[in-house]
Amino acid sequence: MKSSTSQVISELEGTLLMDPDPFSYFMLVAFEASGLIRFTLLLLFWPVARSLEILGMSDLAFDITVFMVLTGTRVSEVEAVARAVLPKFFMDDVDMEAWRVFDGYEKKVVVTRIPTIMVERFVKEHLGADEVIGSELVVNRFGYATGFLRRGVGSFGDSMSKFLGDSTAQLGMGRCNGVGDSFLSLCKEVRHRPFTATKDDRDTNQHHRPIPVIFHDGRLVNRPTPLGALVILLWIPIGLCLAVIRIILGLTLPMYAVSYIAAIFGGKIVVKGKPPPPASVTSSGVLFVCTHRTLMDPVILSFALNRRIPAVTYSISRLSEILSPIPTIGLTRIRHVDAQRIKQELEKGDLIVCPEGTTCREPFLLRFSALFAELTDRIVPVAMNYKVGFFHATTARGCKALDPIFFFMNPRPVYEVTFLNQLPLEATCSGGKSPHDVANHVQRLLAATLGFECTTFSRKDKYRVLAGNDGTVSYASSSGDYIKRVISAFKPSKH
């Protein structure tokens, strides 16, 4: 039980986050906000930074790192990376025992060396902190970062007195050799890692976790440690050549041969379940209703069926259409127009649809559009999932035309295709069910098959969180309030 007067102050690096070294997070910002050149330069600087730390000049090493990463970068780009990319990697690094101790207090303050622009959104919205005290980035009048920092940790006493008033924090969590030196002496109780929750905390918070990161962006799958970053840089030219070969083979080989040839070049397609036979001339086609993980879902499904099946799409790039080995049918998002177009295609044969309308990387399914349920009773749910090692094949902020290229640049991309049984007539609209009931039923079936969780979030929710727009047009207003509403909507499902 939280006390209304309890306060805790915790260091972020090495305490709430397990890794005490923020260098890999700066590598992420360099890659996503500036590009490959700055990413490479920062990696080359890493041995120098380590040498400076060994010589006792860790503050100098940190300041140079920040300068190299952020100088000349638009602050809006840094904010976008902090909103869309960093939260996923921060969450993967959270020490859950430390967070459970931290979350047991009413007023929570986080202290960090990392510029607050990079961490504040995550710390407040996912870890539940009330205040973040750290370094402020100096920005020029043109909206570009200078690379210099305005320290907040150095004036910690003033910051804490403003937040806590005359009271004293009950608990301080941090490292003796970190920024914890600046505040641990001001706390009634001090705790260091490893953290162990009390018996009462275990009983009440055993299944309690921070608010999950459902939507995230960026191309890198793993947090780029110096060794990992070096491997990525060495792999990129090889991966580009491999991607070109894979794409050419996919466009030229017959469908039945692709699965066998893919294994030679490191790819793998795992098919489970029994797919239905092709539609006959006298009957309408089957509608394959798929989970949407990447742009490759319909293509991989066609490979699994050994025939080219058209797929309905909402908004893909011209390059993706050119590279697609299957026909694509563009939808307009005008309901009656799209319904008529899908009906016409089903009269010709089988069709693939992804009713989520956009991809989701995490083990969650977005809300299913009910349109597909209104148009046919021959519905076959298909659970799609994938595994990649280096690069994500989806983006909300970046160039969507590169999605298939990034997918094929991975050393060993694996796709799993699981065919479920065709819905019985009584489970469709022809059996008296409403379109929304059918859509929700299919969503639950696919979630149970994949071990995912159903949500009511939509394409607009995703793009407003990641890109500040609804996926089609930009909004001038900040997405902060909307993000808070999306996160608060998920709070009842915390576990």
Side-chain angles (χ1 to χ4, degrees):
M1 183 69 67
K2 296 180 182 180
S3 169
S4 60
T5 60
S6 61
Q7 299 111 6
V8 61
I9 308 171
S10 176
E11 185 178 0
L12 182 63
E13 308 94 286
T15 302
L16 291 176
L17 299 182
M18 291 181 285
D19 192 346
D21 184 6
F23 190 84
S24 57
Y25 297 111
F26 288 115
M27 292 289 291
L28 278 168
V29 175
F31 185 89
E32 300 292 348
S34 298
L36 205 57
I37 294 177
R38 197 182 295 239
F39 182 77
T40 305
L41 291 175
L42 187 60
L43 178 61
L44 293 175
F45 173 71
W46 178 76
V48 180
R50 285 297 165 267
S51 299
L52 290 173
E53 290 178 358
I54 293 172
L55 295 174
M57 294 184 284
S58 59
D59 287 342
L60 177 61
F62 183 83
D63 289 344
I64 297 175
T65 299
V66 173
F67 184 84
M68 291 185 66
V69 172
L70 298 178
T71 184
T73 305
R74 276 194 175 276
V75 172
S76 58
E77 279 297 310
V78 181
E79 291 173 340
V81 173
R83 176 181 67 237
V85 179
L86 294 180
K88 162 63 177 174
F89 295 97
F90 284 142
M91 184 63 74
D92 289 344
D93 195 33
V94 169
D95 184 328
M96 289 301 169
E97 286 298 324
W99 178 79
R100 290 188 180 103
V101 174
F102 177 79
D103 192 57
Y105 290 77
E106 183 64 25
K107 291 185 178 181
K108 301 180 280 289
V109 182
V110 170
V111 183
T112 178
R113 295 175 69 198
I114 303 174
T116 53
I117 191 175
M118 292 172 54
V119 303
E120 186 169 21
R121 182 183 296 270
F122 170 77
V123 167
K124 288 186 175 181
E125 294 178 355
H126 293 276
L127 301 186
D130 299 292
E131 186 70 19
V132 180
I133 299 175
S135 305
E136 297 297 329
L137 191 61
V138 178
V139 181
N140 65 24
R141 60 193 180 95
F142 302 106
Y144 289 88
T146 63
F148 297 106
L149 297 174
R150 187 180 297 111
R151 300 290 183 184
V153 174
S155 58
F156 180 78
D158 295 337
S159 301
M160 284 309 304
S161 61
K162 178 181 177 181
F163 182 75
L164 297 175
D166 296 330
S167 60
T168 303
Q170 272 71 31
L171 177 65
M173 302 167 60
R175 300 169 296 153
C176 292
N177 58 345
V179 294
D181 286 338
S182 62
F183 67 84
L184 291 180
S185 60
L186 305 177
C187 303
K188 292 181 180 178
E189 179 186 355
V190 175
R191 297 178 66 177
H192 308 289
R193 291 185 64 187
F195 295 95
T196 304
T198 64
K199 185 178 184 300
D200 290 340
D201 288 338
R202 289 197 198 96
D203 293 339
T204 57
N205 294 341
Q206 185 176 3
H207 302 292
H208 187 42
R209 298 177 67 85
I211 295 173
V213 177
I214 298 178
F215 303 122
H216 60 94
D217 204 16
R219 289 296 188 183
L220 296 182
V221 173
N222 301 306
R223 183 156 56 100
T225 61
L227 178 59
L230 178 61
V231 172
I232 289 172
L233 288 173
L234 294 176
W235 175 258
I236 284 176
I238 302 172
L240 281 171
C241 295
L242 189 58
V244 171
I245 294 172
R246 287 167 168 169
I247 290 172
I248 292 174
L249 292 176
L251 291 172
T252 56
L253 290 175
M255 282 285 174
Y256 67 85
V258 171
S259 296
Y260 301 101
I261 300 299
I264 299 176
F265 291 93
K268 186 178 181 181
I269 301 176
V270 179
V271 181
K272 301 176 183 178
K274 185 178 180 181
S280 63
V281 179
T282 58
S283 62
S284 62
V286 168
L287 185 63
F288 293 96
V289 179
C290 305
T291 55
H292 202 8
R293 307 302 284 170
T294 76
L295 185 70
M296 297 298 299
D297 294 332
V299 176
I300 300 298
L301 178 55
S302 293
F303 289 154
L305 292 168
N306 293 330
R307 59 183 189 272
R308 300 179 193 275
I309 302 178
V312 297
T313 62
Y314 287 102
S315 56
I316 62 173
S317 68
R318 181 59 181 161
L319 179 60
S320 297
E321 288 183 350
I322 294 172
L323 296 179
S324 175
I326 63 174
T328 58
I329 296 94
L331 298 184
T332 62
R333 299 189 186 277
I334 303 173
R335 192 174 184 84
H336 70 277
V337 174
D338 293 343
Q340 185 61 33
R341 189 168 296 180
I342 293 174
K343 280 183 179 179
Q344 291 174 354
E345 292 298 327
L346 285 172
E347 290 173 358
K348 300 176 185 178
D350 298 339
L351 189 65
I352 300 172
V353 64
C354 299
E356 291 172 279
T358 189
T359 58
C360 182
R361 297 173 177 177
E362 294 301 297
F364 298 93
L365 294 187
L366 307 186
R367 185 180 67 207
F368 275 32
S369 167
L371 179 62
F372 74 89
E374 303 173 9
L375 307 178
T376 182
D377 56 11
R378 301 192 65 195
I379 299 172
V380 175
V382 184
M384 309 288 295
N385 204 3
Y386 78 112
K387 299 175 183 177
V388 290
F390 284 171
F391 306 108
H392 284 297
T394 59
T395 183
R397 298 171 48 252
C399 180
K400 293 180 179 296
L402 299 178
D403 286 356
I405 296 174
F406 272 105
F407 176 80
F408 286 115
M409 281 178 63
N410 285 287
R412 295 188 60 83
V414 177
Y415 241 103
E416 295 181 0
V417 184
T418 304
F419 292 94
L420 278 63
N421 294 328
Q422 180 174 319
L423 291 188
L425 189 64
E426 59 270 19
T428 67
C429 292
S430 299
K433 300 290 185 180
S434 72
H436 290 287
D437 288 340
V438 175
N440 291 338
H441 175 62
V442 173
Q443 184 196 37
R444 288 192 295 269
L445 285 176
L446 292 172
T449 301
L450 293 170
F452 287 5
E453 186 171 341
C454 296
T455 76
T456 58
F457 297 134
S458 67
R459 171 189 172 90
K460 288 185 177 181
D461 295 327
K462 170 185 169 180
Y463 277 86
R464 284 174 179 167
V465 168
L466 298 184
N469 59 61
D470 67 356
T472 54
V473 295
S474 297
Y475 288 85
S477 61
S478 170
S479 62
D481 292 340
Y482 190 85
I483 295 171
K484 291 178 181 178
R485 184 167 69 84
V486 171
I487 291 176
S488 65
F490 197 82
K491 281 185 179 178
S493 299
K494 288 193 296 187
H495 62 277

